[in-house]
Amino acid sequence: MPHPQVAEIQRSRLLAAAVRAVEELGYTQATVAHITRRARVSRRTFYELFSNREECLVAALESIVEGIRGEIAAAGLGGLAWRERVRGGLWVILSFFDREPVLARVCVVQAMRGSQAVLERREQVLAGLAAVVDEGRLEGGRGGECPPLTAEGLVGAAFSLVYARLLRRDGEPLVGLVGDLMGMIVLPYMGPAAARREQSRVAPGLPATAPAAKSAPRSAKAQAQGDPLAGIPMRLTYRTVRVLEVIAGQPGVSNRGVGEQAGVSDQGQISKLLARLQRLGLASNTGEGHTKGEPNAWTLTPTGRRVAQTIQLHTHDHKEAA
């Protein structure tokens, strides 16, 4: 297995590549080769991290679901009345889909065409949403007359409407559906008057909270920044990670200093690796070098700093998970 730090980064790259492959080709056509090619990760590494294609695609779907779940948690909906919790959750989900249309299509549209494992995970998510909606039966009045199947039908109907909008790609914001969807959800439990009030509401009705991005998991923020290695023809190895970390932590470090701190004793290997990082635009030699007999002095370029920052974010995530 690769070093845990590198493995975590490669896993994130594979999940992002799986999302791109599914968006471009569809669930049925996205193969391991398509995923590894987009991630620039070897097949061997893929199978060290995932048992098969299905496990990777389910993990990609799960990563989207976890991102949404994190934003719902950050919205602070606990303790609100049922109607406000449902409206707030719906607003968060549709806002996420508006910001991330590719993730929305993979999660809603393409998942319908996925494998049995993907379909089962999708059903679990819908069942969880239905359980929240079903709490409307406790609101009294008409709610007590509704069977549990009502919630399943309402979630299915809402899902179908979002599916159709995403399929059309007409550019209309999904959050514009909140009023009508809430009217549909509230109607069987609280009656026509409450449904009309929900349809006429403009504001999402969320409580005052810090922006969700500040409370989102760090790994989600790292993914949101995009892949800093996109367009750079190289594979991330543990040795490369260590070299980048050394230069980031000690700008102006020499070849020998990089080798000693990165744990690479062969100065020839270090020289070749540093030269390659320089050609790729990740590191820059600001020293005089061999021309005047002075040691090299290595610093990271802006792109190199982005890569190093991403590595630090993933490293922190790994330590927290451990």
Side-chain angles (χ1 to χ4, degrees):
M1 285 291 293
H3 186 279
Q5 178 181 329
V6 178
E8 182 62 25
I9 297 173
Q10 290 173 328
R11 186 178 188 277
S12 296
R13 289 166 64 84
L14 285 166
L15 293 181
V19 168
R20 294 197 300 271
V22 169
E23 165 71 1
E24 296 168 14
L25 306 170
Y27 263 105
T28 58
Q29 300 299 318
T31 65
V32 171
H34 292 134
I35 295 170
T36 55
R37 189 179 306 122
R38 285 163 174 77
R40 296 196 310 284
V41 171
S42 69
R43 290 177 66 91
R44 176 181 176 180
T45 298
F46 178 93
Y47 285 109
E48 288 173 342
L49 297 170
F50 300 104
S51 299
N52 50 44
R53 184 191 81 118
E54 302 309 321
E55 182 178 313
C56 179
L57 295 179
V58 171
L61 177 61
E62 187 63 35
S63 69
I64 300 172
V65 173
E66 283 301 315
I68 297 173
R69 185 179 290 121
E71 295 206 5
I72 290 177
L77 304 176
L80 297 180
W82 169 77
R83 182 168 52 178
E84 296 306 317
R85 282 190 290 113
V86 173
R87 186 181 186 90
L90 185 60
W91 179 270
V92 170
I93 293 171
L94 296 183
S95 296
F96 179 92
F97 286 166
D98 279 337
R99 294 196 314 273
E100 303 286 354
V102 172
L103 300 186
R105 287 191 293 272
V106 169
C107 186
V108 177
V109 178
Q110 292 293 345
M112 293 281 287
R113 307 158 187 171
S115 66
Q116 184 64 31
V118 170
L119 292 174
E120 288 176 358
R121 185 66 186 99
R122 169 184 170 275
E123 289 305 312
Q124 291 172 1
V125 172
L126 294 181
L129 296 175
V132 175
V133 173
D134 189 54
E135 294 176 18
R137 292 193 295 142
L138 305 178
E139 292 296 300
R142 298 179 52 167
E145 303 173 2
C146 297
L149 191 62
T150 301
E152 294 183 28
L154 291 170
V155 170
F159 184 89
S160 296
L161 292 171
V162 174
Y163 176 95
R165 181 67 65 84
L166 289 171
L167 202 60
R168 290 203 305 266
R169 304 193 187 201
D170 56 10
E172 288 292 322
L174 293 173
V175 291
L177 296 172
V178 169
D180 289 335
L181 291 179
M182 278 302 298
M184 178 182 71
I185 293 170
V186 164
L187 178 61
Y189 299 112
M190 306 183 73
R196 286 193 294 271
R197 286 194 296 271
E198 288 299 318
Q199 287 177 314
S200 63
R201 287 175 64 178
V202 177
L206 284 173
T209 60
K214 293 184 179 180
S215 302
R218 187 172 280 98
S219 58
K221 289 189 286 187
Q223 293 176 12
Q225 295 174 357
D227 186 353
L229 290 175
I232 299 176
M234 71 174 295
R235 289 179 179 171
L236 198 63
T237 65
Y238 176 61
R239 185 170 57 183
T240 307
V241 168
R242 287 294 298 129
V243 167
L244 289 172
E245 287 180 332
V246 169
I247 300 174
Q250 190 179 337
V253 64
S254 66
N255 287 36
R256 184 173 297 278
V258 172
E260 291 175 351
Q261 296 179 57
V264 182
S265 58
D266 189 328
Q267 286 300 304
Q269 291 183 3
I270 282 294
S271 296
K272 290 179 181 178
L273 179 53
L274 289 169
R276 188 181 183 206
L277 293 176
Q278 186 175 32
R279 290 195 304 271
L280 293 172
L282 298 179
S284 174
N285 179 18
T286 60
E288 296 293 343
H290 298 294
T291 56
K292 294 185 178 181
E294 298 294 331
N296 292 326
W298 294 96
T299 59
L300 296 183
T301 65
T303 301
R305 287 195 293 272
R306 285 185 58 213
V307 173
Q309 289 167 0
T310 301
I311 291 171
Q312 291 173 356
L313 290 174
H314 284 288
T315 302
H316 188 85
D317 286 344
H318 178 73
K319 290 180 179 178
E320 287 185 340

mmCIF file of all heavy atoms in Angstrom, residues 34-35 80 98 134 138 160 177 235 267:
data_model
loop_
_atom_site.group_PDB
_atom_site.id
_atom_site.type_symbol
_atom_site.label_atom_id
_atom_site.label_comp_id
_atom_site.label_asym_id
_atom_site.label_seq_id
_atom_site.Cartn_x
_atom_site.Cartn_y
_atom_site.Cartn_z
ATOM 1 N N HIS A 34 -10.942 4.609 -17.711
ATOM 2 C CA HIS A 34 -11.364 6.002 -17.841
ATOM 3 C C HIS A 34 -11.047 6.782 -16.559
ATOM 4 O O HIS A 34 -10.606 7.938 -16.607
ATOM 5 C CB HIS A 34 -12.858 6.091 -18.132
ATOM 6 C CG HIS A 34 -13.247 5.566 -19.475
ATOM 7 N ND1 HIS A 34 -14.315 4.716 -19.672
ATOM 8 C CD2 HIS A 34 -12.706 5.783 -20.704
ATOM 9 C CE1 HIS A 34 -14.407 4.424 -20.954
ATOM 10 N NE2 HIS A 34 -13.441 5.056 -21.597
ATOM 11 N N ILE A 35 -11.278 6.153 -15.424
ATOM 12 C CA ILE A 35 -11.068 6.830 -14.144
ATOM 13 C C ILE A 35 -9.583 7.060 -13.889
ATOM 14 O O ILE A 35 -9.160 8.161 -13.537
ATOM 15 C CB ILE A 35 -11.701 6.010 -13.002
ATOM 16 C CG1 ILE A 35 -13.234 5.955 -13.183
ATOM 17 C CG2 ILE A 35 -11.357 6.615 -11.645
ATOM 18 C CD1 ILE A 35 -13.922 4.985 -12.244
ATOM 19 N N LEU A 80 -35.510 23.289 15.446
ATOM 20 C CA LEU A 80 -36.561 24.035 14.753
ATOM 21 C C LEU A 80 -37.811 23.181 14.606
ATOM 22 O O LEU A 80 -37.778 21.954 14.717
ATOM 23 C CB LEU A 80 -36.077 24.466 13.369
ATOM 24 C CG LEU A 80 -34.895 25.423 13.309
ATOM 25 C CD1 LEU A 80 -34.553 25.733 11.865
ATOM 26 C CD2 LEU A 80 -35.181 26.705 14.074
ATOM 27 N N ASP A 98 -27.164 23.763 -6.992
ATOM 28 C CA ASP A 98 -26.974 24.921 -7.865
ATOM 29 C C ASP A 98 -25.496 25.293 -7.976
ATOM 30 O O ASP A 98 -25.021 25.687 -9.039
ATOM 31 C CB ASP A 98 -27.773 26.124 -7.334
ATOM 32 C CG ASP A 98 -29.235 26.063 -7.728
ATOM 33 O OD1 ASP A 98 -29.564 25.391 -8.722
ATOM 34 O OD2 ASP A 98 -30.062 26.693 -7.036
ATOM 35 N N ASP A 134 -41.748 12.278 7.157
ATOM 36 C CA ASP A 134 -42.797 11.517 7.853
ATOM 37 C C ASP A 134 -43.098 12.073 9.232
ATOM 38 O O ASP A 134 -44.176 11.807 9.796
ATOM 39 C CB ASP A 134 -42.376 10.051 7.961
ATOM 40 C CG ASP A 134 -43.493 9.160 8.474
ATOM 41 O OD1 ASP A 134 -44.599 9.190 7.882
ATOM 42 O OD2 ASP A 134 -43.280 8.452 9.484
ATOM 43 N N LEU A 138 -46.826 13.920 12.986
ATOM 44 C CA LEU A 138 -46.927 14.283 14.402
ATOM 45 C C LEU A 138 -47.384 15.718 14.608
ATOM 46 O O LEU A 138 -47.494 16.167 15.750
ATOM 47 C CB LEU A 138 -45.551 14.094 15.066
ATOM 48 C CG LEU A 138 -44.914 12.705 14.929
ATOM 49 C CD1 LEU A 138 -43.544 12.684 15.590
ATOM 50 C CD2 LEU A 138 -45.822 11.644 15.534
ATOM 51 N N SER A 160 -38.233 13.512 -8.449
ATOM 52 C CA SER A 160 -38.542 13.481 -9.879
ATOM 53 C C SER A 160 -38.520 14.873 -10.497
ATOM 54 O O SER A 160 -38.045 15.057 -11.624
ATOM 55 C CB SER A 160 -39.911 12.835 -10.104
ATOM 56 O OG SER A 160 -39.897 11.479 -9.681
ATOM 57 N N LEU A 177 -37.431 26.160 -6.750
ATOM 58 C CA LEU A 177 -38.459 25.146 -6.528
ATOM 59 C C LEU A 177 -38.868 25.018 -5.072
ATOM 60 O O LEU A 177 -39.824 24.299 -4.754
ATOM 61 C CB LEU A 177 -37.952 23.777 -7.010
ATOM 62 C CG LEU A 177 -37.650 23.610 -8.499
ATOM 63 C CD1 LEU A 177 -36.985 22.252 -8.741
ATOM 64 C CD2 LEU A 177 -38.934 23.716 -9.306
ATOM 65 N N ARG A 235 3.069 11.845 -11.485
ATOM 66 C CA ARG A 235 2.345 11.104 -10.472
ATOM 67 C C ARG A 235 2.885 11.482 -9.102
ATOM 68 O O ARG A 235 4.093 11.632 -8.927
ATOM 69 C CB ARG A 235 2.484 9.598 -10.701
ATOM 70 C CG ARG A 235 1.707 9.114 -11.909
ATOM 71 C CD ARG A 235 1.885 7.625 -12.124
ATOM 72 N NE ARG A 235 1.124 7.150 -13.261
ATOM 73 C CZ ARG A 235 1.218 5.942 -13.772
ATOM 74 N NH1 ARG A 235 2.049 5.068 -13.237
ATOM 75 N NH2 ARG A 235 0.484 5.582 -14.806
ATOM 76 N N GLN A 267 22.044 11.826 -3.460
ATOM 77 C CA GLN A 267 21.956 13.202 -3.951
ATOM 78 C C GLN A 267 21.654 13.263 -5.450
ATOM 79 O O GLN A 267 21.093 14.241 -5.936
ATOM 80 C CB GLN A 267 23.261 13.945 -3.646
ATOM 81 C CG GLN A 267 23.428 14.316 -2.188
ATOM 82 C CD GLN A 267 22.316 15.231 -1.711
ATOM 83 O OE1 GLN A 267 22.081 16.300 -2.279
ATOM 84 N NE2 GLN A 267 21.620 14.825 -0.656
#
